[in-house]
Amino acid sequence: MKHIGIIGCGTMGSGIAQVAATADCNVHLYDISAEALEVSKTKLIKILDRLIVKERINMARKESILANITYTSKLDDLSNSDLVIEAIIENEKIKNDVFSKLEDLVSDSCIIASNTSSLSITSLAAGLKHSHRFMGLHFFNPAPLMKLVEIIPALQSDTKLVTLARTTMEDWGKTTVLAKDTPGFIVNKVARPFYSEALRMYEEGIADIPTIDWAMRELAGFRMGPFQLMDLIGNDINYTVTETVWKSFYYDPRYKPAFTQKR
């Protein structure tokens, strides 16, 4: 699959676009905000310039990656896509509205995927006319560096299309895992206690934030402490995922959000 559409030019959408463009795909990166698209392009140029300084790529490679991405505020420009990956706000209604418009534009053979980190893939697929071509492709931040991609089929997903999408991700240099459509999938479900216990330790006065991060890095061997990681992800996003997982598991207290993070 060489023609890739990306919906949303935030941190994740821009990162996925960079990954696809680096794999020499023809990428159309869509966002309703022309200003956000310009910011995304400027950030990518800075990233590629740093890679040149580190001698990871040369100037010719930088130019080819940039040439592989078309920045657009017209959803129609994604009509020729073989694969479209949505990476917008974690809101089921907003995502479904976008998918509904997209389905009228792309071919019947186009795979439509969501980068959602917590919403039900089967529920999202149910809103499509051709739900068999929908699945979850969950990348991690920063997408160009993090190797893992969770492949999450909906109950309706065509297994042949899932295999095709998985092969494409591996062609992009990613390590893939097949995950069940459960709240948080694999990584975000496992990660909930990492964040929630750290937040509760802080709320209970057991230790301050720098100490908790230090202990997890230096004593437990984690690359980042829980609060560092929450900052990288964004506390707004991390809180929303926690709240979604908590509700999806019928308010299981193990996944209860913390007031500290909400504040």
Side-chain angles (χ1 to χ4, degrees):
M1 291 188 287
K2 286 296 182 182
H3 297 281
I4 309 299
I6 309 292
I7 298 177
C9 73
T11 300
M12 291 308 303
S14 296
I16 297 168
Q18 180 186 338
V19 172
T22 302
D24 289 324
C25 293
N26 180 10
V27 181
H28 279 79
L29 178 57
Y30 164 82
D31 200 284
I32 58 173
S33 169
E35 182 181 355
L37 289 166
E38 190 60 38
V39 169
S40 175
K41 185 175 182 179
T42 300
K43 286 183 177 179
L44 178 57
I45 291 171
K46 290 180 180 178
I47 290 169
L48 296 177
D49 283 341
R50 286 200 298 270
L51 292 178
I52 291 174
V53 171
K54 294 178 180 179
E55 299 183 344
R56 304 270 181 85
I57 62 172
N58 56 28
M59 182 60 73
R61 188 69 179 122
K62 170 192 170 181
E63 294 302 324
S64 70
I65 293 170
L66 290 173
N68 284 337
I69 303 178
T70 300
Y71 295 84
T72 180
S73 56
K74 297 179 181 178
L75 194 62
D76 292 15
D77 288 344
L78 275 61
S79 61
N80 195 40
S81 300
D82 302 313
L83 166 66
V84 176
I85 302 172
E86 166 274 315
I88 61 173
I89 188 171
E90 286 288 86
N91 181 295
E92 187 170 343
K93 183 182 184 306
I94 294 174
K95 289 181 188 291
N96 281 331
D97 287 345
V98 172
F99 296 144
S100 178
K101 294 174 184 176
L102 183 66
E103 267 205 303
D104 292 333
L105 300 174
V106 297
S107 69
D108 291 345
S109 61
C110 175
I111 295 173
I112 299 176
S114 176
N115 184 58
T116 181
S117 54
S118 59
L119 297 176
S120 167
I121 301 301
T122 297
S123 293
L124 290 173
L128 275 70
K129 299 171 188 173
H130 306 290
S131 57
H132 69 281
R133 43 105 162 255
F134 188 83
M135 67 194 70
L137 295 177
H138 183 217
F139 292 74
F140 294 86
N141 186 30
L145 298 179
M146 298 294 280
K147 290 291 187 182
L148 182 64
V149 175
E150 292 176 326
I151 314 286
I152 310 102
L155 288 175
Q156 306 95 317
S157 297
D158 184 326
T159 54
K160 291 181 181 178
L161 295 180
V162 172
T163 300
L164 177 58
R166 189 172 191 177
T167 299
T168 300
M169 295 301 101
E170 290 169 353
D171 288 344
W172 290 3
K174 295 302 182 183
T175 300
T176 63
V177 291
L178 205 61
K180 287 184 68 175
D181 185 20
T182 56
F185 315 132
I186 299 172
V187 173
N188 269 307
K189 183 178 179 182
V190 170
R192 290 309 102 201
F194 185 58
Y195 307 125
S196 63
E197 288 303 317
L199 285 160
R200 281 163 179 73
M201 286 175 69
Y202 169 73
E203 289 178 340
E204 292 166 8
I206 294 172
D208 61 15
I209 289 171
T211 301
I212 294 169
D213 276 348
W214 170 82
M216 295 307 293
R217 285 194 317 270
E218 302 301 323
L219 304 180
F222 283 74
R223 291 288 294 273
M224 299 180 73
F227 292 97
Q228 283 181 296
L229 188 51
M230 283 185 276
D231 280 341
L232 176 66
I233 295 167
N235 276 291
D236 53 345
I237 296 170
N238 194 283
Y239 178 82
T240 299
V241 172
T242 300
E243 188 176 45
T244 302
V245 171
W246 177 53
K247 290 178 179 177
S248 298
F249 277 111
Y250 304 105
Y251 303 97
D252 187 324
R254 292 180 298 168
Y255 306 110
K256 186 178 179 181
F259 287 116
T260 295
Q261 191 173 32
K262 186 173 184 179
R263 287 197 299 269

